[in-house]
């Protein structure tokens, strides 16, 4: 049987097979350790990302945003405006996030932290409701990526949709 016919037959056979869930996405045991580097620039950027995660996103202390975000903070999330004031407004007025005590360590699980040059990417597990069975959930990944300038986040990307 020619290879092209075998390939088509295989595709037809696989078309009826329902995809099964992959292994769950889980965080590492010590996420805080991933926010360090021996490179001084990467260390500064990773530490800024750490405080954005812990102080702003987890604890909701958006009054501290000026320590970690530039005033012009370019936002690529379609739900929040650019500018530090825009992102603070999104979390405090739109989402109505209230400050909580800042934990000594990260609370939310983290899968990975990747830093290169001025960029830091933080990947976390994300649980979602299964659209085929609302009594079940599945996990996938969520990411936040920042470009840093002088130790502050100046630009942000994530996987958000409207």
């Amino acid at each position: 049987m020619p290879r092209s016919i075998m390939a088509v037959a295989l595709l037809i056979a696989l078309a009826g097979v329902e995809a099964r869930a992959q292994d769950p996405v889980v965080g590492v045991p010590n996420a805080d350790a991933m926010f360090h580097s021996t490179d001084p620039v990467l260390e500064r950027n990773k530490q800024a990302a750490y405080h954005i995660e812990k102080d702003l996103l987890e604890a909701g202390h958006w009054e501290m945003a000026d320590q970690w975000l530039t005033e012009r903070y370019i936002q690529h999330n379609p739900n929040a405006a650019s500018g530090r004031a825009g992102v603070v407004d999104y979390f405090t007025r739109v989402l109505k996030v209230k400050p909580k005590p800042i934990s000594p360590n990260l609370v939310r699980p983290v899968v990975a932290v990747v830093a290169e040059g001025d960029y830091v990417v933080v990947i976390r597990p994300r649980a979602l409701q299964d659209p085929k069975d609302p009594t079940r959930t599945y996990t996938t990944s969520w990411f936040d990526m920042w470009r840093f300038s002088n130790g502050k986040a100046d630009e942000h990307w994530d996987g958000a949709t409207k």
Side-chain angles (χ1 to χ4, degrees):
M1 181 183 280
R3 284 185 185 220
S4 60
I5 293 174
M6 285 176 43
V8 169
L10 180 60
L11 287 173
I12 291 169
L14 290 176
V17 177
E18 184 179 335
R20 298 287 177 213
Q22 74 286 353
D23 289 340
V25 179
V26 296
V28 298
N30 181 7
D32 292 49
M34 294 192 311
F35 288 87
H36 291 288
S37 175
T38 56
D39 178 292
V41 172
L42 297 182
E43 173 70 11
R44 180 182 66 188
N45 294 343
K46 281 184 161 191
Q47 281 297 293
Y50 178 77
H51 286 283
I52 292 168
E53 287 283 335
K54 188 168 75 68
D55 304 348
L56 305 183
L57 295 171
E58 281 188 3
H61 281 272
W62 289 96
E63 78 280 2
M64 299 170 63
D66 64 329
Q67 295 178 41
W68 310 113
L69 310 178
T70 64
E71 187 175 348
R72 81 173 194 147
Y73 190 70
I74 301 166
Q75 178 62 271
H76 298 290
N77 177 317
N79 301 302
S82 283
R84 183 172 57 226
V87 75
V88 168
D89 181 69
Y90 176 69
F91 281 97
T92 60
R93 191 183 61 77
V94 176
L95 296 182
K96 299 186 183 326
V97 170
K98 301 293 183 207
K100 302 180 285 197
I102 297 172
S103 173
N105 301 98
L106 283 170
V107 175
R108 296 186 308 171
V110 174
V111 173
V113 177
V114 181
E116 182 69 31
D118 294 334
Y119 295 88
V120 176
V121 181
V122 177
I123 302 166
R124 292 184 308 277
R126 182 178 187 195
L128 296 171
Q129 188 176 50
D130 187 331
K132 293 182 179 178
D133 182 355
T135 65
R136 300 183 67 180
T137 60
Y138 67 97
T139 58
T140 186
S141 301
W142 178 263
F143 81 94
D144 280 293
M145 180 170 75
W146 295 277
R147 182 183 52 76
F148 288 89
S149 176
N150 298 315
K152 292 185 180 186
D154 193 47
E155 193 166 9
H156 170 259
W157 298 261
D158 63 22
T161 57
K162 289 185 177 183

